[in-house]
Amino acid sequence: AMQDYDETIRLAPQDAIAYNNRGIAYRTLGQYERSIQDYDEAIRLDPQYALAYAVRGLAYYKLGQYERAIQDLDEAIRLDPQEARAYEIRGLAYQALGNNSAADRDLKKAIELGYPP
């Protein structure tokens, strides 16, 4: 899959979705820093790309950088208030920081929006 994403990016270097998808693949492999680089590029190419903010927030969450995760997830939710996974991840980040009331609010909102599917 990585070779396919690399080739897509080579052929269409302005394709934010390709960078985002390769970032997801890197994150799946546990390469969070590398995934963040691709999410950064996806966001640079399309600053309104809510999903890119959400998955970058997830990568920061996985790295234990909860405040940075929350910042990205705030932006994902601002851009797309129906992005259920962003609420779920932000709730987990709040929980990790000990803010249980914010965590409960976000986790309930994620469920209300249908996450997990």
Side-chain angles (χ1 to χ4, degrees):
M2 271 319 166
Q3 290 175 346
D4 290 340
Y5 291 129
D6 290 343
E7 182 65 9
T8 299
I9 289 168
R10 187 184 71 75
L11 294 172
Q14 301 302 310
D15 186 347
I17 294 171
Y19 281 100
N20 190 68
N21 289 346
R22 188 174 71 178
I24 291 169
Y26 279 124
R27 192 194 72 234
T28 301
L29 296 171
Q31 297 180 25
Y32 303 117
E33 292 86 2
R34 183 65 196 261
S35 71
I36 289 169
Q37 291 173 2
D38 277 347
Y39 302 140
D40 288 347
E41 185 62 16
I43 290 166
R44 185 188 72 75
L45 292 168
D46 183 358
Q48 303 301 307
Y49 194 2
L51 180 60
Y53 284 100
V55 290
R56 188 172 72 178
L58 175 57
Y60 281 129
Y61 172 80
K62 293 288 191 176
L63 289 170
Q65 297 180 27
Y66 305 121
E67 291 88 0
R68 288 187 83 176
I70 289 168
Q71 289 174 352
D72 274 347
L73 297 161
D74 286 346
E75 185 64 10
I77 291 166
R78 184 188 72 75
L79 292 168
D80 182 1
Q82 301 302 306
E83 181 59 58
R85 183 131 196 239
Y87 286 100
E88 189 251 352
I89 300 162
R90 191 174 72 176
L92 295 175
Y94 278 131
Q95 191 173 51
L97 292 171
N99 187 340
N100 292 330
S101 62
D104 288 345
R105 180 192 67 233
D106 277 355
L107 294 172
K108 286 177 184 174
K109 182 68 174 181
I111 292 167
E112 177 187 311
L113 292 172
Y115 194 85

